[in-house]
Amino acid sequence: MMHEVIVIGAGSIGTPVAMSLAERGVKVLVLDSGMSSGQGNNKCAIGGIRATHSDPAKVALSLHSLKTFSTWKQTHGDDIGWFMGGYTFVSYSEEISRSLKSIIPAQQKAGLNISWRSAEEIAEKVPGINRRGLLGGTFSPEDGSASPMESSYAFYRQAVRKGADFHFGETVKSVKSGDVFTVVTEKASYSAEKVINCAGSYAREVGAMVGVDLPVYPDMHEAGITEPVLRFFNPMVVDISRSEGSANYYFYQYSTGQVVFCITPDPPLQGKGREETSVFLPQVAARMVKLYPRLANLKVRRTWRGCYPQTPDGTPIIGQVGPEGFYAAVGMCGQGFMLGPGVGEVVARLVTGESTEEDTMVLNSMRLDRTFAGTEALK
Amino acid sequence: MATEARITRHPVLPPLSDNWVKFTFNGREMIGRKGEMVSSAVFAGGEHVFGHHHKDGGPQGLFCANGQCSQCTLIIDGIPLKSCIIPLEEGMVVQSVEGLPSLGDIDPPEVKAPERLETDVLIIGAGPSGISAAMELGRSGYRVVLVDDKDRLGGKLVLQTHKFFGSEQDCRAGVRGTEIASIIAGELKEFQSVDVWLESVVLAVFSDGTLGVRRPDGYKIVKPRQLLVAAGAREKSLPFPGCTLPGVYGAGAFQTLVNRDQIRCSERVFVLGGGNVGLIGAYHAIQAGMTVVGLAEGMDRCGGYKVHADKIARLGVPIYTRHTVLAAHGRESIESVTISAVDENFKPIPGTEKNFKVDTLLVAVGLSSVNEFHAKAVEFGIPSMLTGDSEEIAEASAAMFSGKICGRKIANSLRGETVEIPADWLEKAEVLKSPGGAVSEYRESKQHEGVFPVIHCLQEIPCNPCMTICPKGLIITSGHPVKGLPQYSGGCIGCRKCVAICPGLAITLVDYRKKSEFPTVTVPWELGDWVVEKGQTVTVTEWEGETIGTGTVISLKAAPGFPSTMLLDLEVHRSIANRVAGVRVQKSEVTAPEKTVPELPVADSAIVCRCERVTAGEIRQLLREGVRDMNELKARSRAGFGACGGKTCEILIPRIIRSEGIDPDEITDFTKRPLFAETRLGIFCGREEDE
Ligand SMILES: Cc1cc2nc3c(=O)[nH]c(=O)nc-3n(C[C@H](O)[C@H](O)[C@H](O)COP(=O)(O)OP(=O)(O)OC[C@H]3O[C@@H](n4cnc5c(N)ncnc54)[C@H](O)[C@@H]3O)c2cc1C
Ligand SMILES: Cc1cc2nc3c(=O)[nH]c(=O)nc-3n(C[C@H](O)[C@H](O)[C@H](O)COP(=O)(O)OP(=O)(O)OC[C@H]3O[C@@H](n4cnc5c(N)ncnc54)[C@H](O)[C@@H]3O)c2cc1C
Ligand code: FES
């Protein structure tokens, strides 16, 4: 059967891409190895959503996403757990204060609601946070969080309502270009005018099917969730300082009361594994409890592991790559969930030839043929 | 100083300590035993409602009494904790959880990395199978870490006050479960290389070949060369409207309250399920002085051993076969239960409903193996084995053999040599697992002189202590030495040992030697010497509980050599003497149904996921929308996202799937993730359990 567009991967990116395409009336088929939407890295994300990046392209994408997340319930009815609790990057060292403060002016100039707050103010936002050595932090009240799982199913249902097809339990084995693309899975063969690679951790493998080398190297991150308790703090708390074995970690209280948390191993652990390790809980617990003592009494319910599909410079790769009609929306690093709806719109406009000026700016900085030399301040 | 809701006398259990402490529950002063679980102390104080759910305000209470479900969460000194695993201390301030609990501020604690250690074998679970395996490994000198979440060794044995089946020589048949637990716990002490970790919970198996264990003195990470999962079984449950009301719980929880903590948690009990667990639960309730108003079983006959069913029928418990529970009624806790007859497709038959006033409904509808650690270990390439109920639901007697066999197998694989595994162990492990066989026809003894035993045991089960105890070897079998039906071959000397040892209480002794018109019938008695008195006229029944007349109590004496077993001598007319098998203690008035049946809630309002309060109707709706991935079903309904990690609903949801006519193969399973039991974050960075 002939489709206009085949999307490979129904993850944080593929599902909203399909939704945006379907909303534009494009006949789209989504193929995913999982048995329902968002079963790859999407469901491993903890759900943080912020527009307060330092890269203008990410800011633009996230602002679109934020609009989708924050208005979803009003527009479509399903509760995706959106909560506007803000983000705070806290600082216990001069060095971190300096680097956090250095990007605020540009962010403010981009119209983002973010500012530096004193230790007192941070302690008000995060009552009971360890005050010893706390120097303050950034606070951006309009950022927030939502459930990656509920969101993915909500986007999926909207895509289906608008006519998108999803085939689950099918892994794409090969993609052949020609007059049309032939996409082969273990169950069937499909043809389409255009193909979009949204394969997350497997972006590189799928790129290789059409001879494009996409520098996406997943690294593994573990996360956990606690029992629910009455709300005691609002923002996503991010600590970007390093400790032995780990870089940053972040946590927030979900809309129904659970605290969700994760940590970045240092050095990064490359791979696609999703199995839990004995390192995670002691590592993250020590840092969270030191920062926010009362968390010691909160019961951990479940832990899991997923990947950041990482690029060398921490910025995604979005655009036309390889043979004509083949696109990639990959390398989302630790931000694919929050970027998803924004990326969905930009990619849908790109595919249908309706890119805006802002889209062109975004696509330009996320080109494959860039040097991948820079690193973003807050990746 | 005991309060009302405590068992002050018990025919089998020794009295517990007299160390009383004061605490408060919702501001009310209460008294409890120091060290008993907070939940038990609150029950003893007469409170069964532990709070109200944040989602719909539904009342919450104890459910598993086993640290697994979190339904018993109470705010203890400011922290929300599972009260069924927190020992009571003087001065504790305990509060119910109304909606979501709040999390109080604390001072910054010290943090430190957990200890990591290595061992040859890590055994999860110190029930009969785990202990038996540990002994075999200890015998070969292996370093074993034997972990159990309870405060004493023995697993389920410590809750079993009845005498066990099997054979005397192989597995101490005729001895009570509680005593077997102390005996094997004592034997284990001899093995120096076995390190026992009590009150310790295995939380997870990790891909780096380690297991995380929460010990009272902190979190430990253990790397074993071999894992043995002897974690037993968990109880299944059933979804019906009212199934989450306080007062509806599993047999294990009931036994924990009654037999371990000696709480008089109920007055009137109804039992759902006629397997051994339900039948014995009913018996334990009567021993504790409660009324069992009935037992419902879906099949044509009880699946448990017939001697167990007969034993409670004789005491006056009506057994409703081909019946099921339709609903439990009550506002804050169960007040009554409605049952009905079912047709051959297990559909309730309208018009057959009966309603009973009760304060407890015991749900005993089967067990499922706790084998998830094994599955993870296999996934991660850690050598692992299953034993006991974790491998296959059976009996403690079989579990001991399967544990021994596993112990030797592991010893062999670790060293690459061969310790012999006796062939008869394998055979015994099989025999002892046998379910009850066919029932033979009852034949009344025609003998009316002398003294002789009457054996009211007509179903083949793996049990033969009557044959081995008879000093003259007069009880024999023509069948299998353990399973064959016992037969009396003549020549009785009247020692009454067979009466005292029979775990099924299915042997009486009839003595015509003194009075041939009114012979003496000796029946075994385990209800205490306060229930009947000398000279009293009692109602006697035949083997299956049919009333056949009366008898007069001549004496009630302890059976020497058989702890807590008494022998009751009755004077009975010769016309019925040979048929007398027991004494009825519950009058039919107390077990009669109510005159009217309350209006029944719709079946779909039954809660399937008790943690997140998700109903059967909600699950059905999603299935009808076409959801087939359990991950999606769970994410969208939230069933299984709660505190217990889906331990209850993962068994119930497949039933709904089947009832929707969906092929289970269409459904993809969800991915299991740690932790096995919720654990405070601080524990992972050096805090201790009681901090
Ligand atoms: C612990 C953790 C916390 C995180 N927290 C956040 C957060 O707070 N906020 C945030 O924005 N991001 C977060 N992330 C990052 C986020 O999860 C990822 O960036 C995002 O999920 C990537 O989206 P994706 O669509 O590229 O990949 P995925 O969501 O993994 O989707 C890719 C899909 O492609 C499918 N697929 C791959 N190959 C094939 C094939 N050959 N055939 C068929 N199907 C295929 C896969 O099955 C998968 O479903 C976190 C990640 C982790 C691990
Ligand atoms: C009501 C009832 C009546 C019975 N009557 C008889 C009878 O008459 N005769 C007979 O032979 N058998 C009887 N049994 C069966 C017998 O009790 C079981 O078959 C036997 O105890 C199984 O032994 P096990 O070693 O496999 O498991 P268990 O005895 O269940 O022991 C498992 C242990 O592992 C612990 N555990 C589980 N998970 C963890 C974890 N993550 N961390 C730490 N510890 C953990 C459990 O708490 C438990 O202590 C009866 C059972 C019941 C419920
Ligand atoms: S009743 Fe305490 S955890 Fe289940």
Side-chain angles (χ1 to χ4, degrees):
Chain A
M1 194 185 154
M2 185 68 184
H3 291 267
E4 283 178 73
V5 177
I6 286 180
V7 174
I8 303 174
S12 302
I13 300 300
T15 299
V17 162
M19 173 175 83
S20 294
L21 283 167
E23 282 175 340
R24 285 180 169 66
V26 176
K27 196 73 207 119
V28 51
L29 169 68
V30 188
L31 299 171
D32 198 298
S33 343
M35 293 313 295
S36 62
S37 185
Q39 296 301 302
N41 297 317
N42 175 74
K43 76 167 181 190
C44 305
I46 71 165
I49 301 167
R50 65 182 160 107
T52 48
H53 306 273
S54 57
D55 171 2
K58 279 191 190 171
V59 173
L61 289 172
S62 303
L63 283 173
H64 284 295
S65 291
L66 266 173
K67 209 163 125 205
T68 306
F69 285 115
S70 61
T71 57
W72 190 269
K73 194 167 175 193
Q74 280 147 280
T75 322
H76 297 95
D78 359 54
D79 187 354
I80 56 168
W82 164 253
F83 179 74
M84 198 173 87
Y87 256 70
T88 177
F89 282 67
V90 296
S91 169
Y92 286 83
S93 81
E94 290 299 346
E95 194 196 333
I96 286 178
S97 298
R98 233 177 294 124
S99 86
L100 288 173
K101 281 178 182 165
S102 70
I103 49 180
I104 292 179
Q107 288 176 318
Q108 285 173 338
K109 215 172 136 207
L112 295 172
N113 183 351
I114 185 166
S115 56
W116 182 260
R117 305 294 173 100
S118 67
E120 232 119 89
E121 286 171 288
I122 295 297
E124 242 167 64
K125 311 267 176 233
V126 188
I129 190 172
N130 196 340
R131 290 291 302 271
R132 260 190 75 190
L134 178 65
L135 300 177
T138 63
F139 183 65
S140 52
E142 288 163 34
D143 294 330
S145 59
S147 156
M149 263 186 283
E150 308 260 9
S151 304
S152 190
Y153 290 126
F155 300 158
Y156 160 75
R157 289 200 301 277
Q158 169 67 359
V160 170
R161 273 196 296 270
K162 293 291 170 187
D165 274 335
F166 283 77
H167 289 190
F168 291 111
E170 291 195 41
T171 301
V172 173
K173 303 285 184 195
S174 74
V175 179
K176 281 194 193 66
S177 54
D179 284 348
V180 294
F181 285 94
T182 310
V183 179
V184 181
T185 72
E186 70 273 55
K187 289 190 185 152
S189 170
Y190 306 90
S191 9
E193 291 159 26
K194 292 169 182 173
V195 172
I196 310 174
N197 174 358
C198 302
S201 299
Y202 297 86
R204 203 152 179 252
E205 285 82 345
V206 170
M209 294 176 189
V210 292
V212 205
D213 186 20
L214 297 169
V216 178
Y217 306 98
D219 56 34
M220 303 176 286
H221 295 245
E222 286 180 80
I225 186 166
T226 69
E227 63 182 327
V229 289
L230 278 181
R231 183 162 289 288
F232 59 105
F233 71 112
N234 289 327
M236 171 78 78
V237 178
V238 188
D239 178 1
I240 58 169
S241 68
R242 278 168 197 276
S243 185
E244 207 203 315
S246 64
N248 65 359
Y249 63 98
Y250 46 103
F251 59 90
Y252 74 103
Q253 194 176 11
Y254 182 62
S255 59
T256 49
Q258 302 89 332
V259 171
V260 201
F261 53 94
C262 65
I263 195 164
T264 300
D266 183 37
L269 296 172
Q270 286 212 346
K272 300 189 181 90
R274 290 177 75 167
E275 313 84 24
E276 310 80 20
T277 73
S278 64
V279 176
F280 169 61
L281 278 169
Q283 187 176 65
V284 77
R287 298 197 65 185
M288 283 170 68
V289 166
K290 225 192 265 173
L291 184 91
Y292 203 177
R294 76 167 79 179
L295 294 174
N297 283 333
L298 197 54
K299 295 200 266 326
V300 179
R301 190 167 270 186
R302 224 165 338 279
T303 72
W304 63 87
R305 192 196 218 183
C307 300
Y308 286 12
Q310 202 68 35
T311 61
D313 63 357
T315 297
I317 300 164
I318 303 179
Q320 206 272 314
V321 296
E324 203 188 321
F326 193 86
Y327 301 82
V330 300
M332 297 297 149
C333 309
Q335 295 154 353
F337 170 62
M338 63 179 88
L339 295 176
V343 171
E345 288 175 40
V346 170
V347 170
R349 284 194 293 263
L350 172 67
V351 169
T352 54
E354 301 165 70
S355 292
T356 62
E357 209 169 295
E358 189 191 66
D359 291 355
T360 311
M361 177 277 286
V362 169
L363 293 167
N364 199 34
S365 73
M366 298 191 174
R367 293 192 328 265
L368 173 61
D369 61 357
R370 64 182 190 260
T371 57
F372 289 101
T375 41
E376 204 203 349
L378 298 180
K379 42 174 188 169
Chain B
M1 185 159 35
T3 42
E4 251 189 300
R6 288 189 185 270
I7 295 165
T8 50
R9 53 186 183 185
H10 192 281
V12 174
L13 297 165
L16 298 174
S17 90
D18 244 338
N19 192 353
W20 301 95
V21 294
K22 284 191 189 140
F23 70 103
T24 62
F25 177 76
N26 284 348
R28 182 156 79 83
E29 198 156 282
M30 288 189 178
I31 286 164
R33 283 197 171 91
K34 184 176 161 58
E36 74 179 341
M37 298 309 140
V38 171
S39 55
S40 292
V42 172
F43 255 69
E47 291 286 350
H48 294 197
V49 182
F50 284 20
H52 294 86
H53 199 277
H54 57 87
K55 183 172 162 192
D56 61 0
Q60 300 282 104
L62 194 79
F63 177 59
C64 73
N66 196 15
Q68 306 222 350
C69 73
S70 289
Q71 300 276 298
C72 64
T73 300
L74 289 170
I75 314 282
I76 301 173
D77 291 336
I79 305 172
L81 294 171
K82 295 179 204 171
S83 62
C84 74
I85 51 169
I86 302 293
L88 184 69
E89 301 283 345
E90 171 81 45
M92 274 183 167
V93 176
V94 181
Q95 281 157 308
S96 59
V97 184
E98 306 301 336
L100 285 179
S102 66
L103 184 70
D105 200 6
I106 61 167
D107 289 333
E110 283 294 306
V111 300
K112 62 171 196 271
E115 188 186 348
R116 288 181 176 261
L117 33 102
E118 296 189 354
T119 185
D120 292 323
V121 186
L122 177 76
I123 302 179
I124 310 177
S129 66
I131 294 176
S132 303
M135 287 200 269
E136 289 307 319
L137 287 159
R139 213 183 298 286
S140 305
Y142 287 105
R143 289 172 306 154
V144 176
V145 173
L146 176 61
V147 185
D148 198 286
D149 53 4
K150 301 296 170 323
D151 64 353
R152 63 198 85 172
L153 290 161
K156 289 258 161 41
L157 292 177
V158 307
L159 307 177
Q160 312 304 342
T161 55
H162 57 283
K163 287 180 248 181
F164 272 35
F165 296 102
S167 68
E168 280 189 282
Q169 165 212 358
D170 296 329
C171 51
R172 307 188 171 81
V175 181
R176 296 177 194 283
T178 44
E179 293 159 39
I180 298 178
S182 0
I183 295 169
I184 57 178
E187 289 173 1
L188 183 66
K189 287 210 187 88
E190 289 168 33
F191 300 98
Q192 305 294 319
S193 66
V194 178
D195 198 0
V196 177
W197 296 7
L198 291 177
E199 295 177 81
S200 302
V201 190
V202 175
L203 295 177
V205 180
F206 297 111
S207 57
D208 45 29
T210 60
L211 287 95
V213 185
R214 184 178 82 206
R215 226 167 65 171
D217 62 346
Y219 180 64
K220 311 283 162 187
I221 297 171
V222 185
K223 190 174 184 89
R225 293 171 65 198
Q226 166 84 38
L227 177 66
L228 179 61
V229 179
R234 63 172 62 94
E235 290 175 88
K236 296 184 184 172
S237 68
L238 269 187
F240 49 83
C243 64
T244 57
L245 283 171
V248 179
Y249 33 62
F254 183 76
Q255 291 184 324
T256 303
L257 283 168
V258 174
N259 293 347
R260 190 191 68 192
D261 296 349
Q262 302 189 18
I263 305 299
R264 193 183 165 87
C265 54
S266 320
E267 293 302 323
R268 293 170 59 79
V269 181
F270 195 93
V271 181
L272 175 59
N276 280 335
V277 173
L279 295 169
I280 291 177
Y283 188 67
H284 290 165
I286 295 178
Q287 281 188 310
M290 303 164 186
T291 300
V292 178
V293 299
L295 179 145
E297 159 64 45
M299 310 298 273
D300 283 328
R301 66 168 187 148
C302 287
Y305 292 159
K306 182 155 170 56
V307 284
H308 279 326
D310 291 347
K311 184 162 84 178
I312 63 165
R314 292 195 290 266
L315 295 172
V317 177
I319 296 179
Y320 299 92
T321 52
R322 284 227 153 267
H323 273 73
T324 191
V325 164
L326 292 185
H329 312 276
R331 261 171 41 83
E332 286 285 281
S333 60
I334 183 171
E335 291 160 20
S336 75
V337 59
T338 305
I339 66 167
S340 100
V342 291
D343 64 19
E344 49 294 347
N345 300 317
F346 298 100
K347 289 261 174 303
I349 304 171
T352 62
E353 297 85 1
K354 289 190 177 64
N355 195 61
F356 299 92
K357 265 208 156 10
V358 293
D359 56 16
T360 299
L361 175 61
L362 258 179
V363 181
V365 291
L367 301 167
S368 70
S369 299
V370 176
N371 51 18
E372 55 264 38
F373 294 119
H374 177 70
K376 276 281 179 192
V378 170
E379 185 189 331
F380 297 154
I382 304 169
S384 173
M385 284 175 93
L386 288 165
T387 185
D389 279 357
S390 287
E391 184 188 20
E392 183 186 350
I393 307 297
E395 296 286 305
S397 42
M400 287 190 253
F401 276 98
S402 104
K404 288 205 277 195
I405 293 166
C406 271
R408 292 221 171 159
K409 280 192 186 157
I410 291 171
N412 287 340
S413 76
L414 287 179
R415 200 173 279 153
E417 61 184 51
T418 327
V419 191
E420 198 213 329
I421 300 173
D424 66 324
W425 286 12
L426 298 164
E427 197 224 314
K428 279 171 186 159
E430 279 312 308
V431 169
L432 293 169
K433 277 183 203 164
S434 314
V439 180
S440 305
E441 205 185 319
Y442 186 85
R443 274 202 220 105
E444 191 179 334
S445 164
K446 294 280 175 281
Q447 188 175 344
H448 289 285
E449 56 181 28
V451 59
F452 54 90
V454 181
I455 301 173
H456 305 271
C457 166
L458 296 173
Q459 179 191 38
E460 279 204 353
I461 57 172
C463 180
N464 72 355
C466 54
M467 301 190 220
T468 47
I469 194 103
C470 178
K472 298 267 169 202
L474 304 176
I475 301 182
I476 54 169
T477 182
S478 53
H480 185 278
V482 180
K483 287 199 290 181
L485 282 187
Q487 275 145 3
Y488 166 59
S489 58
C492 177
I493 55 167
C495 74
R496 311 200 289 186
K497 284 190 171 145
C498 55
V499 180
I501 200 167
C502 174
L505 310 192
I507 302 182
T508 58
L509 196 86
V510 191
D511 191 346
Y512 287 87
R513 290 175 299 186
K514 276 194 212 130
K515 291 187 181 173
S516 70
E517 193 58 19
F518 283 96
T520 303
V521 179
T522 304
V523 298
W525 186 257
E526 294 183 324
L527 302 185
D529 58 8
W530 51 87
V531 176
V532 288
E533 55 189 46
K534 201 171 161 184
Q536 186 183 339
T537 303
V538 294
T539 304
V540 294
T541 74
E542 45 77 273
W543 68 309
E544 289 180 306
E546 197 71 42
T547 299
I548 50 173
T550 58
T552 310
V553 175
I554 306 172
S555 74
L556 177 61
K557 293 201 190 93
F562 298 91
S564 319
T565 303
M566 304 190 82
L567 296 173
L568 176 67
D569 285 349
L570 301 169
E571 196 176 82
V572 186
H573 192 262
R574 60 182 282 137
S575 59
I576 55 170
N578 293 356
R579 279 160 57 214
V580 169
V583 171
R584 189 173 177 123
V585 297
Q586 296 195 150
K587 295 211 170 71
S588 52
E589 303 92 87
V590 301
T591 58
E594 299 286 284
K595 299 224 163 51
T596 56
V597 176
E599 198 180 319
L600 291 169
V602 288
D604 265 359
S605 66
I607 284 177
V608 175
C609 167
R610 46 180 63 237
C611 300
E612 297 284 327
R613 313 264 315 167
V614 181
T615 65
E618 290 170 70
I619 300 289
R620 221 179 277 287
Q621 179 58 36
L622 287 168
L623 290 169
R624 288 182 185 168
E625 275 179 33
V627 174
R628 292 293 180 273
D629 181 10
M630 278 292 259
N631 292 295
E632 182 176 358
L633 191 72
K634 293 181 74 167
R636 289 184 52 198
S637 66
R638 300 206 56 78
F641 271 26
C644 81
K647 294 189 188 90
T648 317
C649 63
E650 75 178 15
I651 299 171
L652 299 180
I653 292 175
R655 299 173 71 103
I656 303 180
I657 291 173
R658 281 194 299 274
S659 76
E660 284 292 296
I662 298 166
D663 178 1
D665 288 345
E666 263 188 66
I667 303 285
T668 11
D669 237 352
F670 83 103
T671 335
K672 279 227 170 100
R673 297 284 173 206
L675 300 174
F676 181 78
E678 288 188 327
T679 299
R680 285 183 289 151
L681 193 62
I683 301 283
F684 297 103
C685 55
R687 306 252 297 169
E688 294 185 9
E689 197 68 73
D690 53 4
E691 275 178 273

